[in-house]
């Protein structure tokens, strides 16, 4: 199951781990491949709680999310991850 929480960005050769933040929000941590430490942490507030199929490409995070728990409709999100860095 750990492979499902790792996101690889091939274009920039970066690896991210996906976590749940406070209140169930999305938190991505950039992993330093050389020592296994955390380089940066990103917390995009726009990401809904019900999200899946995360992919990274050129600094943009793509995923399918359900904006409202009561609505079965899903949509594709594209956000610039780097503007949510901590």
């Amino acid at each position: 199951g750990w492979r499902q929480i790792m996101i690889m960005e091939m274009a920039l050769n970066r690896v991210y781990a996906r976590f749940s933040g406070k209140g169930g929000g999305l938190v991505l941590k950039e992993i330093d491949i050389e020592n296994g430490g955390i380089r940066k942490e990103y917390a995009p507030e726009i990401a809904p709680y019900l999200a899946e199929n995360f992919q990274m490409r050129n600094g943009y995070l793509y995923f399918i999310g359900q904006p409202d728990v009561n609505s079965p409709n899903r949509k594709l999100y594209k956000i610039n991850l780097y503007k949510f860095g901590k």
Side-chain angles (χ1 to χ4, degrees):
W2 63 269
R3 291 182 188 178
Q4 294 178 357
I5 62 170
M6 300 298 288
I7 302 169
M8 178 73 175
E9 183 175 11
M10 300 298 254
L12 299 176
N13 197 23
R14 294 180 179 172
V15 176
Y16 301 89
R18 183 171 47 109
F19 297 94
S20 292
K22 296 178 183 175
L26 172 68
V27 175
L28 289 178
K29 296 182 181 183
E30 184 179 339
I31 306 297
D32 187 351
I33 298 173
E34 294 178 7
N35 63 17
I38 296 172
R39 276 191 196 162
K40 293 182 184 174
E41 187 173 315
Y42 304 94
E45 296 89 16
I46 195 170
Y49 180 70
L50 298 172
E52 59 186 30
N53 297 336
F54 292 89
Q55 295 291 324
M56 287 287 300
R57 179 90 175 141
N58 294 328
Y60 286 93
L61 177 65
Y62 298 87
F63 59 92
I64 296 172
Q66 187 173 337
D68 185 9
V69 175
N70 298 321
S71 173
N73 298 333
R74 295 179 180 206
K75 66 180 192 175
L76 177 65
Y77 286 83
K78 174 187 173 185
I79 58 173
N80 184 352
L81 182 65
Y82 301 131
K83 72 179 190 179
F84 295 104
K86 291 183 178 180

